[in-house]
Amino acid sequence: MEPQQKYVGSPVIKKDAMALVTGKPVYTDDLAPKDCLIVKVVRSPYAHALIEEIQKDKAMKVPGIAAILTWEDVPQKRFTMAGQTYPEPSPYDRLILDKRLRFVGDAAAIVAGETEEAVDKAMKLLKIKYQVLEPVLDFRTAKDNKILVHPEDSWKSLCPVGADNARNLCASGEEGNGDVDQVLETCDLIIDQTYHTKANQQAMMETFRAYSYMDTYGRLTVVPSTQVPFHVRRILSHALDVPKSKVRIVKPRIGGGFGAKQTVVAEVYPAIVTMKTGRPAKIIYTRYESQIASSPRHEMEIHVRVGADWQGKIRAVDMYTLSNTGAYGEHGPTTVGLSGHKSIPLYSSVEAFRFRYDVVYTNEMSAGAYRGYGATQGMFALESAVNELAEKLNMDPVVLRERNMVKEGDYMPAYYGETAGSCALDRCLERARKMIGWDEKFPARDMGNGKVRGVGVAMSMQGSSISGVDVGSVTLKVNDDGFYSMMIGAADMGTGCDTILAQIAADCLGCSVDNIVVSGVDTDVSPYDSGSYASSTTYLTGKSVVKTCETLIKKIVEKGAEYLESRPEETEFDGEKVYTLDGEKSISLQDIGNRAMCGNGLSLEATESHSSPISPPPFMVGMAEVEVDTATGQAELIDYVAVVDCGTPVNPNLCRIQTEGGLAQGIGMAMYEEITYSPKGQMYENSFMQYKIPSRLDVGTIRVEFESSYEKSGPFGAKSIGEVVINTPSPAIASAVAHATGVHIRELPVTAEKIYFGMKGQNRK
């Protein structure tokens, strides 16, 4: 049967919507057994120190304390907490507990007890003697610094990513196409600037958490709030030094992740307590812990040179990214690549490019994955440079992009040599221009009250899964009465992938979306899936759904033909029944399902996997209108329009919510969110009182539309949407401020102070 598009493209309500809005117990802490030991981590007050001695006698005497673990009590086997496909590109540089502590907040000891009060008391009584060492706190001086963050011999890198712990390098590399220096020499104009993005916190509402217990068969079961259940199993196996067959991961609903939960931040702590005590254990991170000891966006400083001729043809891009991975290397080697690979290919006019990078260790909190995954930082740098180029050329930045942007069918040397098989970027730009009234508002308007409104533009692209690496798998089976069970390994983290995949399956099988029961992830029974990251689920796992449905339909036809005493090639399935092509005989799916329960040798079940050799980029254009008070420098976002090409939007409502949410996070990064450290390496923004994330009142008007393309390698023409949507606000807002005030802000966030002092001629470039 040919798939009929009834549910794909429709705003189907999420399958878990009613449970979530009515407060049903579906999250990790809701499900944890009442007798769990409470687990907490004692954290280092120093950026760099060695533990000389831990006295735990007094702490152990506190009533209700079950275990206090130090580095001497846990396996000394290095691993990475990064949830990535094996062999992991992130270095093995972690221990559950280490004698060397590498940032303020690093784990020094684990305390577990019957009550939170007992654990808190024991933590105060625990006496730790430290040898305080000099830290590396400036990532610009980390490479080849005499102070080593990881001097240990047991450090290792599994993949050739240019890592060298003896140089404080987590990764290093260079690639390019053409002779950049030669092309730049012949350019009429060169923009040469450096841009700085700070670490950002994902700030999901549900903090890091997990609980664990030993099952009847002596196997460790962990229930974590995670995006990567199968990777958690492997990571815990390595960290605990137990066979993977002894570990089971079950994923409940999760209250947001945004990449933070692609790192195994908290799971090892209750797991090791359960292993040591045999008792259920749980850890719930406070917001304070989530701010100071988690997995934020990588801080990056990006030096960009863009060369063009006087007609506005961009001829060369030279980019160097310095990335701060912090104390550990999670996602360090992989995020940095996107800063160049997802920004430079936006401009197909480029004759030559060069992309170089270093990822360095420092004694600051370890970074990790955050929506956009390095592309966000790279887009701020390159799109800002292109906006500055437009100013130097006295050219409308929209016109400059129209002359240089990638179009459908273009070859993209900087994007792994792929071709843009589906690209509506030009239509996105034109539609956004009309939506915001660009021609009337560019570059700025004096409002006559001491306030000026400027407009700014930026483009972005991302990917759809990691090509040749990521795997999506689906199992579908026909049950009695003919309803379907669909088991997936992809982790729904609030995005609605359970619903999206059911929509695709319903159209392929010709049934109601309510006729498909979707099961969450249990590593014992779910088919393998890399996990929910890299904008992969709809595109990759969705294609697995299509393949699985095709296989299952063949089995349904085969079984139906048997019951009709016909041959499979003489029968067809229409979603409700199997019938002979002459129209004389038919049998309903309900009857097939029930009859197959008795005397049947053919399992009506199918499992298929999918991995894509390409990663088709979604594209997007964002435009911002910002009002600046020229007396104070205060900037207010008035209007933000975004037009997205995600191929075929499978569920327009969920696509719109994804886009609006990603834009809100991007606006937070652009205007509000700041990370600063004390001279001793203590992070100041350790609560939502200091770390400002925007509320609904702070993001102005957000307007979202879609321009569809058709990606033939995706399910029903779909590409990804999860990450591309966060990338445009920073450069668009910075450009709007520049048009309003003449001040170019190249270090985020864009604050009133920076604008004010820029207007006064201080720090103005």
Coordinates of all heavy atoms in Angstrom, one line a residue, residues 39 43 101 130 202 224 267 301 308 408 507 587 663 695 731:
V39 N 21.0 10.6 48.1 CA 22.4 10.7 47.7 C 22.7 12.2 47.4 O 22.0 12.9 46.7 CB 22.7 9.8 46.5 CG1 24.2 10.0 46.1 CG2 22.4 8.4 46.7
R43 N 31.2 18.8 47.3 CA 31.9 19.4 46.2 C 33.1 20.3 46.6 O 33.1 20.9 47.7 CB 30.9 20.2 45.4 CG 29.7 19.4 44.9 CD 28.8 20.1 43.9 NE 27.8 19.2 43.5 CZ 27.9 18.3 42.5 NH1 29.1 18.2 41.9 NH2 26.9 17.5 42.1
L101 N 40.9 17.3 42.1 CA 39.7 18.1 41.8 C 40.0 19.2 40.9 O 41.0 20.0 41.1 CB 39.1 18.5 43.1 CG 38.8 17.4 44.1 CD1 38.4 17.9 45.5 CD2 37.8 16.4 43.6
Y130 N 42.8 19.5 51.9 CA 43.1 19.7 50.5 C 44.5 20.3 50.4 O 45.0 21.1 51.2 CB 42.2 20.7 49.8 CG 40.7 20.3 49.7 CD1 39.8 20.8 50.7 CD2 40.2 19.5 48.7 CE1 38.5 20.4 50.6 CE2 38.9 19.2 48.6 CZ 38.0 19.6 49.6 OH 36.7 19.3 49.5
Q202 N 21.5 25.5 30.1 CA 20.3 25.0 29.5 C 19.0 25.4 30.3 O 18.0 25.7 29.8 CB 20.3 23.5 29.2 CG 21.4 23.1 28.3 CD 22.7 22.8 29.0 OE1 22.9 23.1 30.1 NE2 23.6 22.1 28.3
P224 N 16.9 7.4 34.9 CA 17.4 8.7 34.9 C 16.6 9.7 34.0 O 15.9 9.2 33.1 CB 18.8 8.6 34.3 CG 18.6 7.4 33.3 CD 17.4 6.6 33.8
E267 N 24.0 10.4 37.0 CA 23.6 8.9 37.1 C 24.6 8.1 37.9 O 24.2 7.1 38.6 CB 23.4 8.3 35.7 CG 22.1 8.8 35.0 CD 22.3 10.1 34.2 OE1 23.1 10.9 34.6 OE2 21.6 10.3 33.2
E301 N 35.8 31.6 21.7 CA 36.3 32.9 21.1 C 36.6 32.5 19.6 O 37.4 31.6 19.4 CB 37.5 33.4 21.8 CG 37.9 34.8 21.4 CD 38.9 35.4 22.3 OE1 40.1 35.1 22.1 OE2 38.6 36.2 23.2
A308 N 35.7 40.0 0.6 CA 34.7 40.3 -0.5 C 35.2 41.3 -1.5 O 36.2 42.0 -1.3 CB 33.4 40.7 0.2
E408 N 19.3 25.7 -3.3 CA 19.1 24.3 -3.6 C 19.9 23.8 -4.8 O 20.0 24.5 -5.8 CB 17.6 24.1 -3.9 CG 17.2 22.6 -3.9 CD 15.7 22.5 -3.7 OE1 15.2 22.7 -2.6 OE2 15.0 22.1 -4.6
D507 N 0.1 7.1 9.0 CA 0.0 7.3 7.6 C 0.5 6.1 6.8 O 0.0 5.7 5.8 CB 0.6 8.6 7.2 CG -0.2 9.8 7.5 OD1 -1.4 9.6 7.9 OD2 0.2 10.9 7.2
I587 N -10.3 -10.1 4.6 CA -10.3 -10.3 6.0 C -9.8 -9.1 6.8 O -8.8 -8.5 6.3 CB -9.4 -11.6 6.4 CG1 -9.4 -11.9 7.9 CG2 -8.0 -11.4 5.9 CD1 -8.8 -13.2 8.3
L663 N 13.9 30.1 20.0 CA 14.1 31.6 19.8 C 14.2 32.2 21.2 O 15.1 33.1 21.4 CB 13.0 32.2 19.0 CG 13.0 31.9 17.5 CD1 11.8 32.4 16.8 CD2 14.3 32.4 16.8
S695 N 11.8 35.7 30.7 CA 10.4 35.3 30.8 C 9.6 35.6 29.5 O 10.2 36.2 28.6 CB 9.7 36.0 32.0 OG 9.4 37.4 31.7
P731 N 23.2 37.1 16.5 CA 23.7 38.0 15.5 C 22.7 39.0 15.0 O 23.0 40.1 14.7 CB 24.2 37.1 14.4 CG 23.5 35.8 14.6 CD 23.3 35.7 16.1

